[in-house]
Amino acid sequence: MNSIKISKINANVYYDTLDNGLEVIVYKTPGFQKKMAFFQTRYGSLKNEFIPIGQTKMKSFPLGIAHFLEHKLFESKEKINYFEEFQNKGAYLNAATSYDKTYYYFVCSDNFYDNLTKLIDMVQTPYFTDENVEKEKGIIGQEIDMYSNNPNQTIYDKLYYNAFVKSPMKYDIAGTKKDIKKITKEDLYECYNTFYHPSNMFLVVVGDLDENEVFETIKKNQSSKKFEKPFKIVCKKYEEPSKVAKKEEVISHNVSATKFGYAYKMKIKELSDEKEDYKRRFAIKTFLRIKFGCLSGFTEDLIKNNLVKSYFNYSHEIGKDFVLIIFSSDILDEKKVKSLIDEKLLENIDMKKEFELFKKAAISNYVKTFESPDSICNHVRFMYNEYGKIIDDCYDIYSNITYDEFVNYIKGLDFNNQTKIMITKKEEV
Amino acid sequence: MEIIKDKINQIPITYVNVDKFKSVSGILFFKMPIKKEMFVTRTLIRNILIHSCNKYPSNRLLNINCLENFDAYYSSGFRREGNYAINYFIFRCLDEKYSEKNVINNVIDTFYEIIFNPNVVDGKFNEEEYSLATQRLRSYLESEKENATSYAENMLCKQMGYDTAISFKPEIEILNKVTNESLYKEYLNMINNSEVKFMVAGNKVSDISFDKLFLNLKTKKYDKKLKIQTEIPDSFNKKIEEYNGLQSILTVGLKLKDLSDYESTYVLPVYNNILGGGASARLFDTVREKNSLAYSCFSRYEKDDNMIEIISGIEAENYEKTLDLIIKVVNSMKRVTDDEVKRSITEITSSLKESQDDLYNYILPIYASKLYNEKDIKTKIKEIQKVTKEDVEKLFDKIYVTDSFFFKGGKTSE
């Protein structure tokens, strides 16, 4: 077992890699009641074409299969109701899927080790049948409808779809009802066996616990199971072009007033140094906060001048080699607002004062991460998913990043590749 | 953890000295009997106050001050608790151990300015701030059907509440009658005529002076009953409204009658947990797991309103079937098992313990326990562990399925 001290926080992170390749990370939170374990695979909706374990040819799977698989790991041959089992031990059990990960977790205050073993066993004992796969299609169908029912979510979904050409980022994580109809139990086993090997997974434990006991419990559990030897997973690589797939689209939805969304897609150079990548993420987020956030007055001016009705939101998705900036609003004067966004993005002004203020905010938010078991867990999972390790001196990174570095990170951003979505009111029923 | 109680100008102050967090957070409450129009006026007031103030007359200037103080955070809220309206204001900032000397004093100053020194000219709020807040609220109200679940819940409450506070919700007609002058008067009413409380939690917070906040503030007492009891109708009241959305939302309302304080505080959470509190509850198991009708089906209780709401998103064609199933599940609550009771108590106990890991919970539940005359978390855990199967089954005769509201969507996605 190794440990790393987190700078300025007075905390140690304990970590180790087991013989089967599983990485285990423990963060101790003395005085806190909550104990939690997150069992995470580096597999989400983006990995849809790959060479399944034991095979030699690239194979394509129905969209939404990673999310479908997440639902199905709650089934067992013995018909165990896992939700009941965990509740019996005072634990809350759940799971989630995103583009690049799927995770299963519980949160409890007592019976931690029973729950930990049960979580690992649940995830490592798949049981798929034709019947239980069919049953899930109705449930997931309603989950898809729940998200599609929200017009704001639809703006995001459509912008992603139209911004990306080849990357599976364009597709909804859950797929469509049509996609999930095609999923079979054989598909699920192939995906499971490929991506749920311990060497593609990690387990994060946070709580007022003894690190030795945590490692021993996990090692004992894993040593009683047989796994294939760790192997390299080959997934299809997508050469995503700079241009967007579709420049504009108009759809109708359940809205009271017309809404617009814009996505600006840009390619960025993949950085091999994780600290550089971490700093660049901070720089891009800060750039957007300065231009459109609480100090900019941008939204207030748009409302005051009757250019938008009531809101103007911005958000971003920052990957290793791309950035997607999204704006959405109930715009009244589309041409004017669009040109103001473009002007704002390209405006070359001194942002030093704002940059220094957001640096302070970043330090504060980083420190606050460590006062909540939930946010500690999220931070550790982000680090392991993105970088395969903890960056221990984020405090110093935020303290020492200079304005010149900030300017350098953002100067190469190209705002020319855009897509627009307009959502209009459906006719009354 | 140490709790110290004090009073300044008769205003009760609670200091919670807890050293495991890296922030300090405080909350100031203004409580008074609710009126229908407060859903509009008090929402506008909270939005205007938190956006700027006299000392920092624009949102940008206020935010610069927040960032200078290590991203100090201020928020405000309005909510109804039974027959009472509550406006509250929160600050949260980094402990000086991790920031700089005087940060907390600066934050208390800004907190004071936000609440007590608003951006006002000639007996009115700053005109720009007023119109921004009203425009945003108007737009929110005009688009209320875009959030189908929240709309269906509101309509169910309106249907079940008759003319009580349960049926109150923000309405455009009320917004149209509000003027800047009348809104400022309502602000003064909130400041001058509320029952006021202050709670603060963090490392050694009892050593910090918050006196500035209470310089010219007084508190009042109100004796209006907190809980709302509505009539149980003779027949089941079903309503359907169609809309342009994809998914249909089914809400079902249950009324509670003659629950003792013990029952509503300790037995009702167990009852609700078994009925629809989570993924191992009866509603989830029946509607989702056994019949694949919904992604989720859950219930939520409002003990001060004496009601339970059940909510589920379904396909329009499954309306009758789902409604029948939900009613059957509620009727099945006549009998519960020892296992279900034990499981629910374990889960509730666990979540009570875990709630001590969030700084906000140190200030919010203490207020709630004052408000409801309840005990602290340890006593609550002891009491909840005494709840029996018989206690839960006894509730069956005090709970009535009275209403449903179906927000009927169109075709679902392909």
Side-chain angles (χ1 to χ4, degrees):
Chain A
M1 180 174 57
N2 309 295
S3 78
I4 186 169
K5 191 168 180 174
I6 300 191
S7 170
K8 305 282 191 300
I9 302 296
N10 193 27
N12 285 308
V13 179
Y14 300 89
Y15 63 98
D16 204 354
T17 305
L18 309 190
D19 293 343
N20 61 17
L22 178 67
E23 290 172 282
V24 180
I25 307 105
V26 180
Y27 187 102
K28 290 170 72 165
T29 51
F32 284 84
Q33 298 283 329
K34 268 188 186 178
K35 298 167 183 74
M36 57 185 72
F38 278 67
F39 199 10
Q40 181 161 324
T41 169
R42 294 178 175 100
Y43 167 54
S45 64
L46 297 184
K47 291 176 180 168
N48 240 42
E49 290 177 270
F50 56 90
I51 302 176
I53 182 172
Q55 299 181 32
T56 52
K57 282 187 182 161
M58 196 63 78
K59 188 172 172 183
S60 178
F61 289 83
L63 295 172
I65 194 161
H67 172 256
F68 202 105
L69 184 50
E70 173 227 302
H71 273 240
K72 290 327 296 171
L73 281 183
F74 289 82
E75 300 275 357
S76 73
K77 195 174 182 179
E78 299 76 22
K79 303 237 178 285
I80 297 168
N81 182 333
Y82 283 111
F83 292 113
E84 268 186 25
E85 291 273 313
F86 277 81
Q87 198 187 0
N88 282 334
K89 299 281 182 188
Y92 171 76
L93 170 72
N94 211 339
T97 309
S98 69
Y99 288 119
D100 58 355
K101 58 187 164 291
T102 307
Y103 53 92
Y104 303 79
Y105 67 97
F106 71 84
V107 181
C108 67
S109 50
D110 301 308
N111 306 307
F112 175 78
Y113 294 101
D114 286 349
N115 290 322
L116 176 63
T117 311
K118 211 183 293 285
L119 179 78
I120 300 170
D121 290 345
M122 181 187 94
V123 175
Q124 292 187 332
T125 321
Y127 180 67
F128 314 131
T129 64
D130 291 332
E131 191 196 4
N132 73 28
V133 169
E134 279 313 302
K135 182 200 97 177
E136 210 64 29
K137 291 178 181 173
I139 295 169
I140 296 177
Q142 283 307 308
E143 188 180 0
I144 291 167
D145 278 354
M146 181 177 79
Y147 294 117
S148 311
N149 209 27
N150 180 334
N152 296 319
Q153 182 64 42
T154 303
I155 288 180
Y156 278 73
D157 292 346
K158 284 283 175 191
L159 287 174
Y160 272 73
Y161 187 80
N162 291 340
F164 290 99
V165 178
K166 292 186 173 173
S167 165
M169 289 287 295
K170 75 191 270 111
Y171 302 114
D172 189 67
I173 291 159
T176 63
K177 284 182 173 177
K178 205 171 162 186
D179 297 321
I180 62 168
K181 265 185 195 160
K182 298 176 210 156
I183 293 173
T184 65
K185 70 170 193 289
E186 289 76 19
D187 292 334
L188 293 174
Y189 275 117
E190 281 186 324
C191 292
Y192 178 87
N193 291 330
T194 307
F195 291 108
Y196 281 70
H197 188 278
S199 60
N200 192 47
M201 299 185 74
F202 59 86
L203 186 49
V204 178
V205 170
V206 175
D208 191 354
L209 296 154
D210 176 69
E211 66 276 18
N212 292 308
E213 200 176 346
V214 173
F215 279 101
E216 280 316 307
T217 306
I218 297 167
K219 277 181 186 166
K220 194 177 161 197
N221 175 285
Q222 292 298 277
S223 63
S224 66
K225 296 172 185 170
K226 279 188 181 165
F227 298 97
E228 299 280 337
K229 278 188 182 163
F231 55 94
K232 190 174 170 4
I233 303 168
V234 180
C235 296
K236 183 170 176 179
K237 294 215 182 319
Y238 303 91
E239 265 307 312
E240 179 65 25
S242 299
K243 63 169 191 177
V244 296
K246 192 175 184 180
K247 288 199 168 171
E248 56 179 281
E249 189 175 356
V250 180
I251 58 164
S252 63
H253 205 293
N254 168 41
V255 290
S256 58
T258 304
K259 291 176 193 270
F260 287 87
Y262 307 98
Y264 291 67
K265 184 176 87 168
M266 51 212 83
K267 283 182 106 172
I268 52 175
K269 197 180 147 197
E270 195 165 340
L271 299 170
S272 53
D273 183 323
E274 61 272 359
K275 285 184 189 175
E276 286 295 312
D277 182 83
Y278 192 74
K279 279 203 267 188
R280 182 170 65 185
R281 284 171 194 264
F282 167 68
I284 294 169
K285 282 181 209 167
T286 303
F287 169 74
L288 290 170
R289 282 186 86 178
I290 292 172
K291 294 284 184 177
F292 301 100
C294 60
L295 299 188
S296 70
F298 192 76
T299 304
E300 283 84 353
D301 287 346
L302 292 178
I303 298 175
K304 205 165 64 188
N305 295 316
N306 276 325
L307 298 173
V308 314
K309 207 174 165 197
S310 62
Y311 75 93
F312 177 83
N313 295 336
Y314 75 93
S315 65
H316 49 71
E317 176 96 33
I318 306 170
K320 284 196 190 315
D321 58 358
F322 76 93
V323 178
L324 194 69
I325 302 171
I326 289 184
F327 301 99
S328 61
S329 172
D330 49 357
I331 293 173
L332 299 169
D333 185 336
E334 202 266 320
K335 270 191 182 163
K336 183 79 184 156
V337 173
K338 177 66 175 52
S339 71
L340 286 171
I341 296 171
D342 288 336
E343 274 172 34
K344 195 81 182 167
L345 284 168
L346 296 169
E347 178 189 52
N348 193 6
I349 49 157
D350 182 19
M351 298 178 274
K352 194 157 195 241
K353 185 184 169 193
E354 287 87 350
F355 170 74
E356 292 301 331
L357 286 170
F358 284 119
K359 256 176 77 171
K360 259 190 175 179
I363 292 168
S364 169
N365 289 324
Y366 177 69
V367 172
K368 282 189 237 166
T369 299
F370 296 93
E371 65 175 352
S372 147
D374 302 79
S375 49
I376 291 167
C377 202
N378 289 343
H379 178 72
V380 173
R381 290 192 305 113
F382 168 79
M383 287 281 167
Y384 265 79
N385 211 62
E386 289 298 319
Y387 308 125
K389 66 180 209 181
I390 294 279
I391 299 176
D392 57 342
D393 57 351
C394 295
Y395 190 102
D396 305 312
I397 288 176
Y398 290 129
S399 302
N400 299 331
I401 186 170
T402 64
Y403 182 65
D404 287 345
E405 281 181 284
F406 163 72
V407 172
N408 265 331
Y409 282 124
I410 55 170
K411 75 177 177 194
L413 297 177
D414 171 7
F415 304 112
N416 283 314
N417 298 299
Q418 308 160 8
T419 176
K420 176 175 98 179
I421 180 90
M422 181 169 134
I423 298 198
T424 58
K425 197 174 175 177
K426 265 188 192 172
E427 280 174 32
E428 290 295 333
V429 176
Chain B
M1 184 181 71
E2 176 193 32
I3 295 179
I4 297 171
K5 293 189 177 180
D6 194 5
K7 273 188 181 174
I8 300 177
N9 289 350
Q10 296 304 308
I11 296 163
I13 322 262
T14 306
Y15 301 96
V16 185
N17 288 323
V18 52
D19 62 5
K20 67 181 179 184
F21 298 104
K22 293 174 169 59
S23 309
V24 170
S25 186
I27 189 163
L28 188 60
F29 294 90
F30 296 88
K31 174 188 155 193
M32 63 196 297
I34 195 157
K35 289 179 186 162
K36 193 175 184 178
E37 56 272 22
M38 286 178 177
F39 270 88
V40 168
T41 55
R42 296 302 186 91
T43 304
L44 290 173
I45 289 167
R46 85 173 172 95
N47 290 342
I48 290 174
L49 295 191
I50 213 70
H51 203 255
S52 71
C53 58
N54 196 31
K55 190 170 178 184
Y56 305 107
S58 72
N59 193 244
R60 175 182 159 85
L61 292 173
L62 181 57
N63 275 299
I64 287 175
N65 177 269
C66 297
L67 292 165
E68 281 170 345
N69 289 294
F70 286 80
D71 210 14
Y73 172 74
Y74 306 93
S75 68
S76 62
F78 167 75
R79 67 166 192 266
R80 179 181 65 80
E81 298 273 5
N83 275 313
Y84 283 88
I86 296 168
N87 272 81
Y88 57 92
F89 298 85
I90 294 176
F91 73 83
R92 186 163 181 158
C93 63
L94 208 56
D95 191 312
E96 286 178 4
K97 191 174 158 188
Y98 300 96
S99 53
E100 283 169 7
K101 212 177 167 201
N102 271 332
V103 161
I104 293 177
N105 280 337
N106 294 341
V107 168
I108 295 166
D109 274 354
T110 305
F111 191 58
Y112 172 85
E113 295 292 333
I114 286 171
I115 304 168
F116 299 106
N117 194 7
N119 194 354
V120 169
V121 184
D122 299 333
K124 293 192 290 188
F125 288 108
N126 170 289
E127 207 54 61
E128 266 184 23
E129 294 290 341
Y130 172 76
S131 59
L132 184 67
T134 48
Q135 203 167 328
R136 281 182 158 159
L137 182 59
R138 183 178 303 282
S139 177
Y140 167 77
L141 294 174
E142 283 169 357
S143 61
E144 63 178 345
K145 290 184 187 178
E146 287 179 18
N147 186 338
T149 307
S150 153
Y151 178 77
E153 286 177 59
N154 281 339
M155 293 310 286
L156 180 74
C157 288
K158 199 169 178 182
Q159 188 177 314
M160 292 177 78
Y162 302 120
D163 54 353
T164 67
I166 297 172
S167 69
F168 295 172
K169 65 185 200 67
E171 286 167 11
I172 288 202
E173 295 70 34
I174 299 173
L175 179 62
N176 288 339
K177 288 179 191 159
V178 174
T179 63
N180 196 341
E181 289 85 349
S182 70
L183 192 68
Y184 182 61
K185 277 184 190 154
E186 182 56 25
Y187 160 75
L188 294 177
N189 180 36
M190 179 189 85
I191 296 290
N192 296 324
N193 297 310
S194 291
E195 189 175 325
V196 182
K197 288 176 199 294
F198 179 69
M199 314 273 171
V200 60
N203 193 19
K204 294 180 185 165
V205 284
S206 58
D207 294 347
I208 302 168
S209 170
F210 295 93
D211 291 2
K212 182 174 185 177
L213 298 176
F214 313 108
L215 282 176
N216 300 308
L217 194 60
K218 289 198 172 85
T219 183
K220 288 205 171 179
K221 268 262 174 238
Y222 291 97
D223 52 12
K224 193 174 172 80
K225 265 172 67 175
L226 174 73
K227 288 193 174 192
I228 302 173
Q229 185 69 66
T230 50
E231 288 298 310
I232 309 293
D234 295 333
S235 59
F236 186 65
N237 188 8
K238 271 203 262 192
K239 278 192 186 162
I240 299 175
E241 182 181 328
E242 291 190 24
Y243 84 119
N244 268 326
L246 285 172
Q247 193 176 44
S248 302
I249 309 295
L250 175 60
T251 57
V252 179
L254 281 57
K255 287 192 178 181
L256 321 176
K257 201 177 179 192
D258 300 330
L259 267 67
S260 66
D261 278 351
Y262 173 78
E263 284 177 322
S264 60
T265 308
Y266 301 113
V267 187
L268 185 58
V270 178
Y271 174 95
N272 182 64
N273 193 285
I274 297 170
L275 173 68
S280 56
R282 290 187 181 186
L283 283 170
F284 190 90
D285 187 54
T286 305
V287 176
R288 171 176 152 144
E289 292 299 309
K290 294 206 170 84
N291 289 281
S292 300
L293 290 167
Y295 172 61
S296 79
C297 183
F298 63 92
S299 62
R300 185 172 56 222
Y301 68 94
E302 302 290 344
K303 71 173 192 167
D304 303 322
D305 294 346
N306 278 302
M307 64 183 277
I308 293 175
E309 294 165 68
I310 296 169
I311 300 136
S312 193
I314 58 172
E315 297 216 12
E317 64 194 38
N318 292 325
Y319 164 55
E320 294 288 350
K321 186 180 176 185
T322 315
L323 182 58
D324 279 354
L325 280 171
I326 288 174
I327 293 171
K328 274 184 190 150
V329 171
V330 177
N331 288 334
S332 76
M333 291 295 290
K334 193 169 187 172
R335 293 283 171 265
V336 296
T337 66
D338 286 323
D339 278 353
E340 285 176 313
V341 175
K342 196 176 157 199
R343 194 161 56 236
S344 294
I345 290 173
T346 308
E347 191 180 37
I348 294 165
T349 303
S350 199
S351 66
L352 280 169
K353 283 184 184 173
E354 288 159 23
S355 69
Q356 296 170 77
D357 285 354
D358 185 335
L359 184 60
Y360 287 135
N361 289 340
Y362 280 81
I363 41 184
L364 295 171
I366 289 171
Y367 179 72
S369 69
K370 282 278 187 196
L371 194 69
Y372 311 136
N373 202 18
E374 280 178 11
K375 315 282 187 319
D376 61 27
I377 284 180
K378 274 185 187 167
T379 319
K380 264 189 193 171
I381 288 173
K382 265 188 196 166
E383 290 293 330
I384 213 138
Q385 286 180 337
K386 289 182 198 158
V387 173
T388 65
K389 173 179 179 302
E390 289 70 30
D391 290 335
V392 179
E393 289 178 345
K394 258 191 224 164
L395 284 197
F396 181 79
D397 292 328
K398 299 180 177 186
I399 295 178
Y400 305 81
V401 191
T402 60
D403 294 80
S404 72
F405 177 81
F406 185 50
F407 200 32
K408 187 180 175 188
K411 276 188 178 171
T412 58
S413 66
E414 287 303 315

